[in-house]
Amino acid sequence: QVQLVESGGGLVQPGGSLRLSCTASGNIFSINGMGWYRQAPGKQRKLVAYISPDGSTNIGDPVWGRVTISRDNTNDTVYLQMNTLKPEDTAVYYCTAAVMTRGPGGNVSPTTTYWGQGTQVTVSS
């Protein structure tokens, strides 16, 4: 089993910045992609940013130019730096990771997508 623990959410004024962090733990054999999605009330969960093990990224259109995603492969952690925040960025932000785990017998599982519990980001004056 894998746990993703997010931190860094909160209340920020329009134009401000936040940095989200997410660390994976558990019986991890390897992690492929890691990223962030967000879900506003009454809306579908949508991509914010995603990063592959080699550092290549995919950034969602609504936040293009305002966010940077990075990862620390040694510590199984992904970061999301968000700048020039707008009220429409208000949402619950979820961390996700595509993980292969190692079982008690040493067998490696197929890649499974895991999600964190979410962290609230509110942009308001």
Side-chain angles (χ1 to χ4, degrees):
Q1 190 61 279
V2 173
Q3 297 79 41
L4 300 179
V5 178
E6 301 125 330
S7 62
L11 173 65
V12 63
Q13 292 187 341
S17 299
L18 277 178
R19 188 190 194 213
L20 306 183
S21 301
C22 172
T23 299
S25 63
N27 299 324
I28 297 170
F29 175 75
S30 69
I31 301 179
N32 194 351
M34 302 184 79
W36 295 89
Y37 283 71
R38 70 185 185 185
Q39 187 168 19
K43 297 188 176 181
Q44 290 186 329
R45 191 173 297 188
K46 294 186 177 180
L47 172 72
V48 178
Y50 203 78
I51 185 168
S52 299
D54 65 359
S56 58
T57 62
N58 182 17
I59 308 296
D61 288 342
V63 298
W64 181 264
R66 299 189 293 119
V67 306
T68 302
I69 187 170
S70 59
R71 63 189 285 174
D72 178 351
N73 292 329
T74 300
N75 294 304
D76 296 332
T77 299
V78 63
Y79 303 96
L80 183 71
Q81 176 67 44
M82 301 188 291
N83 302 318
T84 320
L85 284 161
K86 305 174 181 180
E88 51 263 44
D89 294 318
T90 296
V92 178
Y93 284 69
Y94 294 93
C95 173
T96 185
V99 183
M100 298 175 69
T101 58
R102 185 187 295 278
N107 54 303
V108 177
S109 70
T111 301
T112 301
T113 298
Y114 292 88
W115 294 88
Q117 292 296 309
T119 185
Q120 177 70 44
V121 171
T122 301
V123 185
S124 175
S125 55

